[in-house]
Amino acid sequence: MTARHEQVADDLRRLIVAGTFAIGDRLPPETRLAVQYGVSTPTLREALEVLRAEGLIAKYQGRGNFVRRPSERLTYPGPPKAERVTVSSTDATATGVLAVRLGLPEGAPLTAYVCLSHRDDSRQSLTHVYVPRTAAPLTVASPWGDDLVTAAAGVPVATSNDQVTARFPTTAEAQSLRIGTRTPVLAIERTFTTADGRHVAYALLVLPGDRAEVVLITRLDTDQEAQQ
Amino acid sequence: MTARHEQVADDLRRLIVAGTFAIGDRLPPETRLAVQYGVSTPTLREALEVLRAEGLIAKYQGRGNFVRRPSERLTYPGPPKAERVTVSSTDATATGVLAVRLGLPEGAPLTAYVCLSHRDDSRQSLTHVYVPRTAAPLTVASPWGDDLVTAAAGVPVATSNDQVTARFPTTAEAQSLRIGTRTPVLAIERTFTTADGRHVAYALLVLPGDRAEVVLITRLDTDQEAQQ
DNA sequence: CAGTGGTCTAGACCACGCG
DNA sequence: GCGTGGTCTAGACCACTGT
């Protein structure tokens, strides 16, 4: 009682790991694969969606489906492996959840930074950083936003509290990261806190689920880290 | 140029947060909603899939779509909020990645535990724990597997290394958690290590992306936690 | 331009839940 | 049995890519 698209995905996965389709190869067009497997095109696309979520293939509109190089996974937090990070900044105001997270009054002036990290023409991460607006000039940044926050906050930043969830990307996020709207992403909401307990920055990281993972190390014999 | 199913999702989301559809309410049948919005049923189902990934609604086959109670999110790691945890155990052998992770020879005897945590008739987490086979009798367990590991390992467990990824559930996982196969999940691979550096247990946690989040707290002024 | 994926249609049939 | 969601079909049209 396995679904048809799962059967197709299983067979294609077998062909890929067996090397019948080598790394970097383009798969046959979806229409032809659909005919070969005797399924309709939406069903075959479901199968490819599964493989894409596993990071086995990448789709490029107008070009085709390609076998991905394995273990291209980036880890968060960790040394950024991006080749380039492009940053842009705009003025914004604290509204709704943003004001709550930063402990600021509604409408307070903010500066919003957008960091997009690349590597080998592959988008790695999309980060939005929100800090209270200051005159601080900001130049370079890490893909996770740490540099921006330490530079923007006048005082040292002590801890960051990260909430990691799995969801689908918004259309804007999918376009920025060049992933499908049905590819799961890791969404990380970071709240930066100073030693005296003030929240000084908020960041939203979006990492493609097919090429990123979050690593956390817990000491079990000591006390567990406190929850938010 | 927004996709049709995104427009429909936006409108339904608006109706839900506005309270037109109250918490616990059943939405109209998908066929009727499709007619109302002037879209086909697959398109409308795509819209509902988006809302389900956001945790706004829950689907039950044969019954309908229901508005979920918000902030039902469980956090990992953290105090388990499950009402019940059902555990079953079977014998297994270390094969492939399992042997590598545990540092055991291929074919070594293991005991596999499956923990399923519930709460209010809602599946919360599915955990597979693999430990070297011993005669240790194991009774109760936390949903994250910690209790099982500390009981099974003869020596104290010092740290756990967790790798968090976002992906789709397997059909078996989806059935166990009673979620759709297209609902993103947080998959956490835990490796338990003793103070002398031996890997003594391996666990795979699957948390529904629409009701779970991983929380990690990082101290920025001290040295970053070492990566694996 | 031709080929590719992105999205959508208007149905169909099956499995499940409940009365 | 009836209504529900789960899955699939066999197309269609558009947008994007590279020549």
Side-chain angles (χ1 to χ4, degrees):
Chain A
M1 205 33 236
T2 315
R4 301 282 284 117
H5 69 259
E6 289 287 350
Q7 297 176 21
V8 175
D10 290 345
D11 192 66
L12 285 171
R13 188 186 302 110
R14 187 179 55 77
L15 292 176
I16 289 173
V17 300
T20 308
F21 294 122
I23 291 165
D25 276 7
R26 194 187 68 188
L27 266 54
E30 301 186 346
T31 49
R32 197 190 311 168
L33 284 175
V35 173
Q36 287 180 11
Y37 282 106
V39 298
S40 64
T41 43
T43 302
L44 186 113
R45 303 186 92 256
E46 275 295 286
L48 293 181
E49 204 63 46
V50 173
L51 300 180
R52 182 156 71 160
E54 295 173 0
L56 279 175
I57 63 171
K59 317 192 72 157
Y60 302 98
Q61 178 165 163
R63 290 205 283 150
N65 296 280
F66 294 82
V67 179
R68 286 255 317 270
R69 184 166 55 246
S71 75
E72 280 178 336
R73 286 191 169 272
L74 71 153
T75 58
Y76 168 86
K81 294 175 183 168
E83 291 176 336
R84 296 173 321 211
V85 181
T86 62
V87 184
S88 62
S89 67
T90 55
D91 286 346
T93 53
T95 57
V97 65
L98 217 52
V100 174
R101 293 269 186 169
L102 286 167
L104 291 173
E106 193 86 8
L110 300 178
T111 304
Y113 296 90
V114 181
C115 313
L116 187 62
S117 73
H118 314 247
R119 178 192 171 87
D120 298 337
D121 293 332
S122 155
R123 258 71 166 179
Q124 298 272 51
S125 66
L126 175 67
T127 308
H128 292 259
V129 183
Y130 301 92
V131 294
R133 194 182 303 169
T134 64
L138 295 174
T139 53
V140 74
S142 83
W144 314 143
D146 304 70
D147 295 0
L148 276 173
V149 172
T150 49
V155 291
V157 177
T159 62
S160 79
N161 182 314
D162 298 11
Q163 293 178 287
V164 185
T165 55
R167 59 166 172 82
F168 290 130
T170 66
T171 46
E173 290 165 353
Q175 284 177 2
S176 293
L177 291 169
R178 298 214 192 291
I179 59 176
T181 51
R182 298 268 79 83
T183 299
V185 295
L186 286 165
I188 308 175
E189 295 187 85
R190 303 192 74 182
T191 307
F192 295 86
T193 312
T194 58
D196 57 349
R198 283 194 311 116
H199 298 166
V200 290
Y202 171 78
L204 172 62
L205 283 71
V206 181
L207 311 179
D210 60 0
R211 68 195 70 165
E213 66 191 16
V214 172
V215 176
L216 62 139
I217 295 171
T218 315
R219 303 200 199 295
L220 295 176
D221 48 358
T222 66
D223 276 72
Q224 294 279 338
E225 306 265 344
Q227 302 313 312
Q228 49 163 349
Chain B
M1 203 37 236
T2 315
R4 300 285 283 116
H5 70 258
E6 290 286 352
Q7 297 176 20
V8 175
D10 290 345
D11 192 65
L12 285 172
R13 187 186 302 109
R14 187 179 54 77
L15 292 176
I16 289 173
V17 300
T20 308
F21 293 121
I23 291 164
D25 276 6
R26 194 187 68 189
L27 267 54
E30 302 185 346
T31 48
R32 197 189 312 169
L33 284 175
V35 173
Q36 286 180 11
Y37 282 106
V39 299
S40 65
T41 42
T43 301
L44 186 113
R45 302 185 95 255
E46 275 295 287
L48 293 181
E49 204 63 45
V50 173
L51 300 181
R52 181 154 72 159
E54 295 173 0
L56 279 175
I57 63 171
K59 317 192 70 156
Y60 301 99
Q61 180 167 158
R63 290 205 281 149
N65 295 281
F66 294 81
V67 179
R68 286 255 316 269
R69 185 166 54 247
S71 75
E72 280 178 337
R73 287 192 169 271
L74 71 153
T75 57
Y76 169 87
K81 294 176 184 169
E83 292 177 336
R84 297 173 320 212
V85 181
T86 62
V87 184
S88 62
S89 67
T90 55
D91 287 346
T93 54
T95 57
V97 65
L98 216 53
V100 174
R101 294 270 186 168
L102 287 167
L104 292 174
E106 194 87 8
L110 299 177
T111 304
Y113 296 89
V114 180
C115 313
L116 186 62
S117 74
H118 314 247
R119 178 191 170 89
D120 299 336
D121 294 331
S122 155
R123 257 73 167 178
Q124 299 272 53
S125 65
L126 175 68
T127 307
H128 292 259
V129 183
Y130 301 93
V131 294
R133 194 181 304 169
T134 62
L138 295 174
T139 53
V140 74
S142 83
W144 314 142
D146 303 68
D147 295 358
L148 276 172
V149 172
T150 49
V155 293
V157 177
T159 62
S160 79
N161 183 315
D162 298 11
Q163 293 178 289
V164 185
T165 56
R167 59 166 172 82
F168 289 130
T170 66
T171 45
E173 289 165 354
Q175 284 177 1
S176 293
L177 291 170
R178 298 216 192 289
I179 59 175
T181 51
R182 297 269 79 81
T183 298
V185 295
L186 285 165
I188 308 175
E189 295 187 85
R190 305 191 73 182
T191 309
F192 295 86
T193 313
T194 57
D196 56 349
R198 285 193 311 117
H199 298 164
V200 289
Y202 171 78
L204 172 62
L205 282 71
V206 180
L207 310 180
D210 60 2
R211 70 195 71 165
E213 67 190 16
V214 173
V215 176
L216 61 140
I217 295 172
T218 317
R219 304 200 198 295
L220 295 177
D221 48 356
T222 65
D223 277 78
Q224 294 279 339
E225 305 266 341
Q227 300 314 312
Q228 47 163 347

